[in-house]
Each structure stands twice: as structure tokens, then as C-alpha cells.
Amino acid sequence: MKIIVIGSAAAGVSAALRLSAGEKGAQTTVYEAGAFHSCGAGGLPYYLSAGLPELHAAIQGKERELAAQNVAARLRCQVERIDPQARQITVRDLAAGQAFTDRYDKLVVATGAAPQIPQVPGCRRVGVQTLNSVEDLIFLKEYLRTPYVQDVVVLGGGWEGLELAKAVLKLGRKVRIITDSPQILPGLDPEVGQRVQQALEGEGVQLSLGEAVRAFPGRTYVEQVQTSRGSYPCDLCLVAGSLAPNTGLLAAIGAELAPGGAALIDSNLETSVPNVCAAGACAVSREGSLHSGSVRVGGLEIARTGLTEAEAKQAGLRVRSATASGRDRPGVCPNPQEITIKLVYEASTRQIVGAQAWGGKNVSTRVNAIAVAIRAGMTADALSQVDFVYSSCTSSIWDPIQVVCGQAR
């Protein structure tokens, strides 16, 4: 079997290895348009404040990982066309300026998604930037070295925006988050989002909520961000708002797309086009997603999975919620952490549909367990009876998950 992956993101390579499992002599080739293997767009903000040796180590580690998995990777190769009838792609070698074709048995499209810069006056000024590739990262690291870059604006109050804000704070810059949403992390219920807002403000982040961008005033470089409510000084604007899936290649061959533009895939990663799969940010499951995610702001870790209470009600579900706190380890042990969980469940069946949690540490592990429970169709009563690991030094007799399930009775 020959598998071709378009894009070097981890999701594509993982999908190829899944498809080739059990296939003797399977060959996998990755075509990447960039000059570097992807280190994962979600992890790029970390390297803004990290040293160059760490970035080099990450890039080299990706190369070693692909080699260890027997994956042939070709950089600076842009896939221009897919021919699903011939199971063939047309590739342009950007260094040589020449095009060639390659044939596949299975094709995996892992082209990701890109932040969209608001198309307003000044949007093309230097300093209005996205962080979506290693090339973007290298430019921004150099840009942030200049002493006059002090006021940084992050557009977008989602997970990506918060990660960028954290990275810039580590560099000692002033940070303002501007979002047209009335709250930070709109994918959380208001009372949970309020805790995130307080944590951000405690770290020194300024927030401009419910404001739409109108222009990027300046000369050659951006100097301000003008919104529906005012203007703010800005030496660098990092756009982390709405993401547009890169599905142009799939749209050209008639693949079925979701309303947001992502490719619809089934449980086997297959699109509506035979032998063409998709993975990562450019794809969405027909069965839906739990939209799990987490972020740390200062001393607060926040995570979510499934539906929030507001989302469940908007979907027409009759739900109830319970909120309770518990410790991740016995109080006699050093550094016990309190974890608060908000559990959302159907009123009649008591089946769990979502959860949000926050605390000092070990929050995501609890939410991961609840994500499994949601997929398994468990009720709050069933989850409360799970025999979680107990250790006198690492975990409490009653895990915070069991505490909140008990509160839901």
C-alpha cells in the first residue's frame, strides 16, 4: 500500500500510520509546502519565548520521528491538484520550479486551518501577523527582538489567543486581548469564563471584550488597533481569531464539506471521495466532536469537553448541572490541589453530555476521563461507581469526579 500525506502535521502522519497498520511493505510519503516540518500549530506559541536551540531541537526531533516511522518527507513541495479517478496528485517542487505526479492507494489531506486577518483598512501593514507555521515563528521571534515592540494586541479570545497572550507575557511585553465575543473562551459557560478572565487580568493582560476591529492605523508598520469602541496602541498584532480550514484541494474534487468549510469524515477518516482521507484541523467528524480543550493561565488550569450547559439548552436538550470541588490528593500530602468540576447531564436519563473543570493542576486528566464517559454513554451514577486508583500519596479516596457525580444525584 502506498499512502501520500499532504501536510506534515502530526495528525496526517498519525492517520497514515493508522491506515497502514497491518500492511506489510506499506510506504508513506509526506509532501510539505513549507521549508520546515510542522511542529504543530498549537505548540508554536511556546517557542516564541523559548530559545532557538529548543526550536532547532523540535524541528530535528520531528525529522528523526518521521525517519523512525519509515516516512519519506519532502519539503518545499506544493500539491496543486488531486485526480481521484487516477489516484494521482500533481506536485510542484518549489525549489526547482518543476511539476511532477505521484500515485497513491490512500491519500490523507492534513492541510490544517489558518487564522483569518480581518479585511479592514491597514490589514496588510507590517506587524499584523498570524502564527501558523515555523516560518511565521522565525519572523515573529526576530520581530519581537526589536526594542520598540512593547504593546502587543492579540485578536481572538479562544484557546489559540490565550496561548499567544501567555507566550508574549513571558517576553515582558504589554498584552491586550481584543475579541468581538462578550467573554473570554466563549466555549465555556459564563461563570467558568469569568474565572479565566480574572486569571488573565491577574497576570496583567488587558481585555477588550465585545469589540469589533475596524482598522489598523499606522504608516508602514501597524501603530494602533481601532475597534468599534476605541483605539489602542499596538506595535504587533497577532491574529488568532476565526480559523478557515485549508480545504481548497478537497473542494476542487467535490468532497463534502461542513458549514464551516472543514471536510466531513467518517470514523475511518474517509471523506466522501473514495480513497481520500482527511485529518486534523481541516476535517470534522460526521459523528460530531466533543470539542475538548484546555489551557493554563497563571496558576489556573481550565479544561472542557462535550457540551456546556448553554450549548446543551441551545440544542434543545433538557439538562441539569452540578458543580462540586474535591482534592487531587489527600490533604496530608504536600501541595494538594483543589479541582472544581461542573458536570452537565440530561435531566431524564442522567446521561453525561459535558463537563468543565478548573483548578491548580491535574485538571485535564479528570476531563479526559469524563470525555471517555461521554463517548461510552455513561450516566452520572455509573461514573460515580468507577473504581478510580487510590494511593495514600497521590490520589484522594474520593476523586473530584466522584464528588461531582455524587452532587448530581
Side-chain angles (χ1 to χ4, degrees):
M1 175 185 284
K2 183 174 182 179
I3 301 174
I4 290 178
V5 181
I6 304 175
S8 64
V13 176
S14 297
L17 295 175
R18 173 179 165 181
L19 293 171
S20 63
E23 294 280 349
K24 291 185 178 180
Q27 296 177 321
T28 300
T29 301
V30 173
Y31 288 108
E32 167 61 50
F36 304 94
H37 296 296
S38 171
C39 295
L44 288 175
Y46 166 80
Y47 293 99
L48 273 179
S49 56
L52 281 175
E54 289 184 79
L55 175 59
H56 293 155
I59 294 171
Q60 292 168 357
K62 182 71 174 184
E63 293 173 352
R64 288 193 297 270
E65 178 186 343
L66 293 174
Q69 295 167 336
N70 200 27
V71 174
R74 298 192 58 175
L75 300 173
R76 299 282 291 157
C77 285
Q78 176 78 53
V79 176
E80 297 181 328
R81 181 173 175 268
I82 302 170
D83 184 345
Q85 279 69 44
R87 294 192 193 179
Q88 182 174 281
I89 60 171
T90 301
V91 187
R92 181 165 297 278
D93 186 325
L94 298 178
Q98 298 178 340
F100 61 93
T101 60
D102 199 357
R103 191 180 182 282
Y104 63 84
D105 293 308
K106 289 283 187 181
L107 179 69
V108 179
V109 179
T111 44
Q116 300 301 290
I117 295 176
Q119 296 303 296
V120 297
C123 64
R124 301 188 187 280
R125 285 199 166 90
V126 178
V128 181
Q129 308 292 147
T130 61
L131 177 53
N132 202 49
S133 67
V134 176
E135 287 89 341
D136 293 338
L137 174 64
I138 292 171
F139 171 80
L140 287 171
K141 285 181 73 67
E142 289 300 312
Y143 199 83
L144 282 161
R145 288 179 62 186
T146 56
Y148 66 84
V149 178
Q150 292 297 320
D151 291 292
V152 179
V153 169
V154 175
L155 290 188
W159 305 102
E160 299 85 358
L162 267 60
E163 292 292 354
L164 281 172
K166 287 166 49 184
V168 175
L169 277 177
K170 288 182 180 179
L171 294 170
R173 304 301 196 270
K174 301 174 187 176
V175 180
R176 177 182 296 274
I177 294 177
I178 299 177
T179 174
D180 56 6
S181 171
Q183 76 169 54
I184 290 294
L185 292 180
L188 299 177
D189 282 323
E191 69 271 27
V192 186
Q194 185 63 32
R195 291 178 177 272
V196 181
Q197 180 174 331
Q198 292 168 355
L200 285 168
E201 291 173 333
E203 291 292 300
V205 177
Q206 296 177 296
L207 301 176
S208 297
L209 308 179
E211 301 189 27
V213 175
R214 295 286 186 252
F216 298 103
R219 284 160 287 188
T220 301
Y221 298 85
V222 64
E223 297 174 7
Q224 291 182 327
V225 175
Q226 182 180 328
T227 75
S228 52
R229 293 186 182 174
S231 294
Y232 307 99
C234 175
D235 303 312
L236 171 64
C237 180
L238 296 172
V239 180
S242 59
L243 297 176
N246 298 318
T247 49
L249 288 169
L250 291 168
I253 59 174
E256 186 179 359
L257 305 181
L264 285 167
I265 58 174
D266 61 19
S267 58
N268 295 318
L269 309 179
E270 295 271 3
T271 68
S272 59
V273 180
N275 304 303
V276 177
C277 302
C282 68
V284 62
S285 172
R286 294 178 184 275
E287 301 173 2
S289 168
L290 294 181
H291 298 291
S292 302
S294 70
V295 69
R296 171 170 285 279
V297 179
L300 184 68
E301 180 184 352
I302 311 100
R304 66 153 285 175
T305 189
L307 299 174
T308 65
E309 186 174 9
E311 289 169 343
K313 290 178 178 177
Q314 288 170 3
L317 299 178
R318 286 187 62 250
V319 294
R320 293 178 180 171
S321 68
T323 302
S325 301
R327 287 181 171 178
D328 66 339
R329 65 193 67 186
V332 296
C333 295
N335 197 28
Q337 300 291 321
E338 184 175 83
I339 297 173
T340 303
I341 300 175
K342 178 178 181 179
L343 195 72
V344 182
Y345 56 96
E346 289 187 354
S348 56
T349 65
R350 300 179 52 75
Q351 184 172 329
I352 301 168
V353 298
Q356 298 155 82
W358 57 93
K361 290 182 180 178
N362 302 318
V363 173
S364 295
T365 54
R366 268 72 191 181
V367 172
N368 280 337
I370 296 173
V372 173
I374 294 172
R375 279 298 185 199
M378 294 178 70
T379 64
D381 306 290
L383 183 56
S384 71
Q385 298 301 315
V386 171
D387 189 9
F388 288 104
V389 170
Y390 167 70
S391 168
S392 60
C393 59
T394 60
S395 55
S396 298
I397 296 177
W398 296 106
D399 190 89
I401 293 176
Q402 294 169 309
V403 175
V404 74
C405 287
Q407 187 73 26
R409 290 182 177 178

